[in-house]
Amino acid sequence: MTGIYDLIGIPFGYLMRLIYAIFKNYAVSIIVFTIITRLLMFPVSYSTQKNSARMTLLNPKLEKLKKSFASNPQRLQEEQQKLYQEEGINPMASCLPTFIQMFLLFGVLDVVYKPLTHILDMSRSIINAAMGIAGLDPSKTGLRGELKIMEDIAVHKSSYSSLGENFADKVYDFNEKFTIFGANLGKTPSLHPETWNKEAVILAAIPFLAGLAQLLYSVYTQMHQKKVNPAMQQAGGGCMNVMLYGMPLFSIWMAFTFPAGLGFYWIWSSLISFIVTFALNQYFTPERIKVINEKEKEKARIYAEKHPEKKTFMQKMLEQQAEMEKQQNGGSSKSANGNKVSRSEQNKQNRDKLKEARKRMAEKYGDEYDDNDEE
């Protein structure tokens, strides 16, 4: 697991080191870091909200399909996927920002846990030697080793003089700037600190502020969805409520589990996400999205004509679904009008045919026939 943190943390570490070299304050560096990463994600956010806005135009057609194939869920799903393909819309596009957010989280975690590596650019050999002085086993301390070194240097600075390169002075000076209003962001917030001092109060407040910022973003998102798509809001009310309250609670839990630097990042990440989402919602007016929708449909049509051999995401989904149905149904039969029937429907048809054959035989030979005998 630590290998994943190391891999993703390296590029984030370079970025954070550059930012810290300019601002010389860890809390300010996190804010700037969050703004830059959100700007890098802006094309993804733009594409996702454009896709979401275009989906609202499909609601009348989707509702019509639901009424037409209310008794045939399988056919309904096929027709919905065909509609998405014709419109050039990927209904799964909203999953990408969530994946990228988790990707960013791994990088931020590594930067928060390893400030000596990523920000002060110290070698692994020096850090391991410092762990030895602090009485830490590198194989057992996990990700918290560098934070524990900083805590120990704050108390026993002179013990590290043998490392040279002004190691103790650099770490001690950085530790003084690793704060927000005097609270060390390398410490993990707790509701049961040893002493309720100023630092403990600030650290305990960070998780709740992270949850509040996430709640603001969730409430706004849900209100906007209710405004533009009331039908979907009613259909997915339970799911929406889970997201509304689940994500803020998850944010609070995360912020109480990891160093305060992560919770501080989460606060600003949610606030900036809210600002970006609000701005894009104002940009994607109904009139503008209609124009964009026509352009996107035409673009998808031209691409399909130029590259007939290439399959779209929705085409692949349709083919995979058809293959799965073929495997599940085995030698599935068709009804008289050529439509596929399920295995249970085929069995019922076979039973009805058998009953009809026995009834005719009974009539032919003058025997009595009772349908109940077949049950």
Side-chain angles (χ1 to χ4, degrees), residues 78-113:
E78 291 176 357
E79 294 299 325
Q80 286 176 333
Q81 290 176 351
K82 288 179 182 178
L83 179 61
Y84 292 142
Q85 181 179 335
E86 292 171 359
E87 297 289 335
I89 294 178
N90 180 5
M92 303 298 292
S94 59
C95 298
L96 182 59
T98 303
F99 172 78
I100 295 179
Q101 174 71 4
M102 296 306 297
F103 179 85
L104 287 173
L105 194 58
F106 278 115
V108 173
L109 272 173
D110 200 63
V111 172
V112 170
Y113 273 124

Side-chain angles (χ1 to χ4, degrees), residues 118-139:
H118 294 300
I119 299 178
L120 298 185
D121 195 22
M122 293 181 171
S123 67
R124 177 50 51 188
S125 60
I126 292 292
I127 293 174
N128 287 340
M131 286 189 181
I133 295 174
L136 303 172
D137 184 350
S139 63

Side-chain angles (χ1 to χ4, degrees), residues 90-341:
N90 180 5
M92 303 298 292
S94 59
C95 298
L96 182 59
T98 303
F99 172 78
I100 295 179
Q101 174 71 4
M102 296 306 297
F103 179 85
L104 287 173
L105 194 58
F106 278 115
V108 173
L109 272 173
D110 200 63
V111 172
V112 170
Y113 273 124
K114 300 177 181 178
L116 306 188
T117 297
H118 294 300
I119 299 178
L120 298 185
D121 195 22
M122 293 181 171
S123 67
R124 177 50 51 188
S125 60
I126 292 292
I127 293 174
N128 287 340
M131 286 189 181
I133 295 174
L136 303 172
D137 184 350
S139 63
K140 296 181 180 179
T141 54
L143 293 171
R144 296 180 182 268
E146 296 186 18
L147 296 177
K148 290 183 179 296
I149 291 174
M150 292 171 59
E151 291 179 8
D152 193 62
I153 285 180
V155 181
H156 307 103
K157 180 181 176 182
S158 59
S159 301
Y160 295 82
S161 58
S162 61
L163 294 180
E165 299 182 10
N166 298 320
F167 177 85
D169 290 334
K170 287 181 180 179
V171 176
Y172 188 87
D173 181 60
F174 175 74
N175 199 34
E176 292 296 311
K177 300 174 183 177
F178 198 68
T179 60
I180 176 71
F181 301 125
N184 192 308
L185 292 174
K187 295 183 179 180
T188 302
S190 173
L191 291 176
H192 304 285
E194 294 182 1
T195 305
W196 276 108
N197 51 24
K198 177 184 175 182
E199 182 180 55
V201 172
I202 293 173
L203 293 178
I206 287 177
F208 293 106
L209 290 175
L212 185 62
Q214 180 63 48
L215 181 64
L216 170 67
Y217 175 69
S218 299
V219 168
Y220 169 74
T221 302
Q222 190 174 99
M223 289 177 62
H224 179 74
Q225 287 295 327
K226 186 176 182 180
K227 178 181 177 181
V228 301
N229 195 357
M232 182 176 291
Q233 179 75 15
Q234 293 175 0
C239 180
M240 290 293 184
N241 287 332
V242 170
M243 291 298 294
L244 176 61
Y245 300 110
M247 285 304 296
L249 291 175
F250 175 74
S251 300
I252 294 173
W253 174 80
M254 285 283 291
F256 269 117
T257 304
F258 297 99
L262 178 67
F264 189 70
Y265 161 80
W266 202 284
I267 293 171
W268 288 97
S269 178
S270 297
L271 290 176
I272 295 172
S273 294
F274 167 76
I275 294 171
V276 171
T277 302
F278 177 81
L280 287 175
N281 284 338
Q282 297 302 307
Y283 174 77
F284 287 124
T285 60
E287 295 75 17
R288 180 174 281 123
I289 201 60
K290 287 180 181 179
V291 175
I292 293 175
N293 188 56
E294 292 302 319
K295 290 181 179 179
E296 292 293 328
K297 286 174 62 176
E298 182 64 14
K299 188 187 299 184
R301 185 189 65 80
I302 294 173
Y303 181 85
E305 290 179 353
K306 290 183 177 180
H307 306 278
E309 74 286 353
K310 292 188 177 181
K311 297 177 181 178
T312 65
F313 174 79
M314 296 309 301
Q315 286 175 322
K316 292 178 181 179
M317 283 189 63
L318 287 170
E319 290 181 0
Q320 289 177 359
Q321 182 180 351
E323 183 62 27
M324 289 177 62
E325 291 172 358
K326 182 178 179 181
Q327 293 176 0
Q328 291 174 357
N329 296 331
S332 62
S333 302
K334 295 185 177 181
S335 63
N337 58 12
N339 294 329
K340 287 184 178 180
V341 296

